[in-house]
Amino acid sequence: MAEEHPTPGEDRVRIFDTTLRDGEQSPGISLSTPEKLDIAQQLARLGVDVIEAGFPISSPGDFESVQAIARQVEGPVICGLARTSSQDIDAAWNAVRDAARPRIHTFISTSDVHIEHQLQTTREDVAGQARAAVAHARGYCEDVEFSPMDATRASVEFTAEVIQIALEEGATTINVPDTVGYTMPEEYAAMFGELYRLVPGLRDVTLSVHCHDDLGLAVANSLAGVAAGCRQVECAVNGIGERAGNASLEEIVMLLHTRSASLGLETGVNTREIARTSRLVSRLTGYPVQPNKAIVGRNAFAHESGIHQDGVLKERTTYEIMDATTIGLEQNSIVLGKHSGRHALRKALEELGFEVEGAALNTAFKRFKEIADKKAKVTALDLEAIVSDEMRQSPSQFALEAFEVEASSVRSPLARVSVRLPGGEVVSGSFTGDGPVDAFFSAINAATGHEGRLKEYHVSAVTGGRDALGEVTVMLELGGVLASGQGVSTDILEASGRAYLRAITNALADASPVAEAERELQREAVEPVASTPGP
Ligand code: KIV
Ligand code: ZN
């Protein structure tokens, strides 16, 4: 691979995961602190180098999650995002300071379109804000990343000037984002060539790419940046993120892995954890993975045409450039049944990376028994789905107590439900709808008194077979808030009800007076730097 400006002595590409920050900015995603912790623990198992855990000033909830991750997740660098104001940087530092390896990531736009219209300021002011921000962050932390936002639409000379300032103030990583997914591979690579020429000091720090996928070029552009010498790639699991998303982590990692002979580069990622990480992120965010998605899509290793099937049966490499087991598919042979005991369940869960003890183990065991009664074999994928489902349930949520749905070709479907409210009271409702699911969700609205409006509804099977567990994802709108929820069960209607009630819980949490107060605090925090809105 032609590398004109590689960072000295490095064939190792650092993987900077922004699933919990840029990824979480996708509409309808609202992860709780325990859910973010679960994802962060899995990212650590996956072996990413940096976890961007959130944007601490943006809300007390975000601050709390970043702090919890900094305190509990071992291995990766834990990073918090900050604009250039001292309040932002103080919040980022206070959230990450307890990590073994903390990082502050500060940013400001260098494109004229952002400077004039969004920030409503001058290039001189931007340069001054960048200097002050990096200096302030370095006062706290040795590891400071600086990003000139929207750099790919900015004057390269001005971006270089601001990067030079960031280096003078001690930034240790310079990330050059393609914020709106506008650039093309040759153009992005040429920009890095020019930046190296204008700022020779870039050879002594880590240069980084951060690409959005608006034109479907995020991975190609990231690779072009790596070829030009960048040694950190910012990316997100399943490619989630603002608008069309970020470069997909699994695609970047498997590209560097599969083509290592040509590229001569490596990452520290344990590729065998990729599939599980993708499933966890999809489940907790409510963002399904498209079937034909590279690496982690359901069909990524499926062969439909007879010619391909014939070839693969004779020799796998005829039509497969990667082995499914490399990303952790089909490697787990755990199978439990209705006679398996608590000890076997705990061992199986441990193998899957879940440490479940005490009351949580009792609940998981009860749920496992219910499912094992209906399903002959409970596989690793089933266990993972059940445990993730149970982990999402808490006493402060609405819970489905009982339901009855009558459907026929001659009468409109009728649904009756009983729902346990967060306070413990059980309420009932019934409704006649257009279809059984519509009637069911309307009956839940009637019981809870909340008029959720269904926006999206997805059903998938966790494994194959007629007795497979069904997994349902619901996205609804309630009082102007968009929220998602997921549910798992051998019964699709039960899974749907669980998913719908979780989405209602999430929407209400986002619309609660506490959340409103959080937004108010956020607005106040933004005021002194009203000229620098969030990413
Ligand atoms: O896309 C972007 O520019 C960002 C920055 C905050 C790095 O997300
Ligand atoms: Zn971004």
Side-chain angles (χ1 to χ4, degrees):
M1 165 183 209
E3 278 175 8
E4 286 175 37
H5 311 283
T7 310
E10 281 215 27
D11 295 332
R12 170 82 147 68
V13 175
R14 293 190 181 93
I15 297 297
F16 174 115
D17 179 274
T18 188
T19 308
L20 295 173
R21 200 277 300 168
D22 214 322
E24 224 243 350
Q25 286 174 213
S26 314
I29 298 185
S30 59
L31 297 166
S32 63
T33 296
E35 289 172 338
K36 286 187 186 171
L37 258 171
D38 281 346
I39 292 179
Q41 297 286 14
Q42 180 57 29
L43 289 170
R45 243 175 259 134
L46 179 67
V48 305
D49 298 281
V50 185
I51 295 176
E52 187 166 49
F55 186 16
I57 191 88
S58 69
S59 72
D62 224 47
F63 181 94
E64 179 197 291
S65 326
V66 177
Q67 189 175 56
I69 291 169
R71 289 181 175 168
Q72 295 177 46
V73 178
E74 288 170 17
V77 167
I78 307 298
C79 171
L81 183 70
R83 292 162 300 181
T84 49
S85 76
S86 47
Q87 296 94 316
D88 271 52
I89 289 167
D90 291 348
W93 172 242
N94 286 326
V96 298
R97 63 188 301 164
D98 296 334
R101 293 190 295 148
R103 175 181 293 187
I104 299 172
H105 176 192
T106 182
F107 70 96
I108 189 162
S109 296
T110 54
S111 70
D112 287 334
V113 61
H114 280 203
I115 295 173
E116 281 165 29
H117 299 288
Q118 189 180 19
L119 306 181
Q120 297 178 351
T121 186
T122 59
R123 285 188 178 185
E124 199 187 356
D125 180 49
V126 163
Q129 286 195 41
R131 185 182 290 286
V134 176
H136 188 52
R138 272 304 305 246
Y140 289 134
C141 184
E142 285 183 1
D143 187 345
V144 172
E145 174 169 330
F146 173 74
S147 295
M149 185 151 135
D150 202 24
T152 53
R153 294 193 299 163
S155 138
V156 71
E157 287 79 16
F158 179 59
T159 298
E161 194 184 315
V162 175
I163 289 175
Q164 176 63 40
I165 288 172
L167 291 183
E168 282 164 17
E169 297 303 328
T172 43
T173 297
I174 299 291
N175 174 50
V176 187
D178 181 30
T179 304
V180 291
Y182 178 71
T183 199
M184 296 183 286
E186 315 77 61
E187 206 174 69
Y188 200 39
M191 185 192 67
F192 283 112
E194 194 56 6
L195 288 175
Y196 273 119
R197 191 181 70 74
L198 294 167
V199 191
L202 275 177
R203 289 184 183 80
D204 305 323
V205 297
T206 302
L207 194 52
S208 165
V209 292
H210 176 112
C211 298
H212 281 269
D213 208 29
D214 299 65
L215 292 172
L217 288 174
V219 170
N221 286 335
S222 303
L223 182 66
V226 167
C230 298
R231 287 296 174 268
Q232 174 176 285
V233 177
E234 301 200 354
C235 45
V237 175
N238 299 337
I240 61 171
E242 193 73 43
R243 303 180 312 281
N246 287 84
S248 133
L249 179 146
E250 57 280 5
E251 292 177 26
I252 298 280
V253 168
M254 289 311 290
L255 172 59
L256 297 181
H257 180 87
T258 308
R259 301 306 309 272
S260 62
S262 319
L263 299 172
L265 297 168
E266 57 179 22
T267 70
V269 167
N270 174 5
T271 61
R272 286 175 185 267
E273 291 291 331
I274 285 178
R276 182 183 307 171
T277 313
S278 163
R279 289 194 297 267
L280 180 70
V281 168
S282 172
R283 239 169 225 144
L284 296 186
T285 57
Y287 268 50
V289 173
Q290 78 197 53
N292 58 327
K293 164 88 174 60
I295 319 294
V296 292
R298 181 174 74 232
N299 297 344
F301 293 90
H303 301 277
E304 184 67 19
S305 104
I307 297 177
H308 287 207
Q309 285 174 355
D310 175 60
V312 169
L313 286 175
K314 288 177 176 145
E315 164 56 40
R316 189 187 59 76
T317 56
T318 51
Y319 289 96
E320 276 186 6
I321 59 167
M322 293 167 276
D323 185 337
T325 59
T326 316
I327 66 152
L329 287 173
E330 295 161 12
Q331 67 185 356
N332 221 311
S333 55
I334 299 171
V335 179
L336 300 180
K338 66 176 174 186
H339 299 300
S340 306
R342 202 176 296 256
H343 182 66
L345 176 69
R346 190 163 56 119
K347 270 202 77 148
L349 291 175
E350 257 170 34
E351 250 181 74
L352 291 169
F354 295 109
E355 276 167 37
V356 184
E357 297 287 349
L361 180 61
N362 290 345
T363 316
F365 188 64
K366 189 167 161 269
R367 187 85 195 276
F368 158 72
K369 280 288 182 191
E370 281 163 17
I371 287 176
D373 270 345
K374 297 182 189 149
K375 198 174 183 304
K377 288 179 185 162
V378 181
T379 66
L381 286 179
D382 294 325
L383 282 180
E384 198 182 274
I386 303 167
V387 173
S388 309
D389 192 59
E390 268 317 315
M391 281 183 336
R392 285 196 298 262
Q393 195 62 39
S394 85
S396 59
Q397 294 183 351
F398 293 86
L400 186 64
E401 284 284 302
F403 68 93
E404 212 180 306
V405 180
E406 287 167 16
S408 84
S409 59
V410 287
R411 268 191 313 277
S412 297
L414 169 68
R416 291 187 202 89
V417 297
S418 298
V419 174
R420 189 163 29 80
L421 302 180
E425 187 192 346
V426 176
V427 292
S428 305
S430 60
F431 206 89
T432 307
D434 292 338
V437 173
D438 177 52
F440 191 20
F441 290 168
S442 300
I444 291 178
N445 283 352
T448 59
H450 294 293
E451 273 305 306
R453 290 201 307 137
L454 188 65
K455 293 282 175 194
E456 283 180 34
Y457 176 72
H458 299 273
V459 186
S460 58
V462 173
T463 52
R466 292 183 64 173
D467 63 354
L469 280 179
E471 186 158 25
V472 172
T473 302
V474 157
M475 177 100 68
L476 58 71
E477 194 232 293
L478 180 59
V481 176
L482 201 58
S484 68
Q486 301 75 40
V488 174
S489 172
T490 43
D491 182 318
I492 290 297
L493 281 172
E494 185 181 335
S496 303
R498 292 172 80 95
Y500 194 83
L501 285 167
R502 280 196 186 124
I504 289 191
T505 307
N506 290 342
L508 292 175
D510 264 12
S512 69
V514 177
E516 188 39 51
E518 285 189 0
R519 278 191 282 276
E520 185 54 34
L521 268 176
Q522 189 178 343
R523 280 194 285 275
E524 278 169 22
V526 170
E527 233 158 62
V529 281
S531 56
T532 55

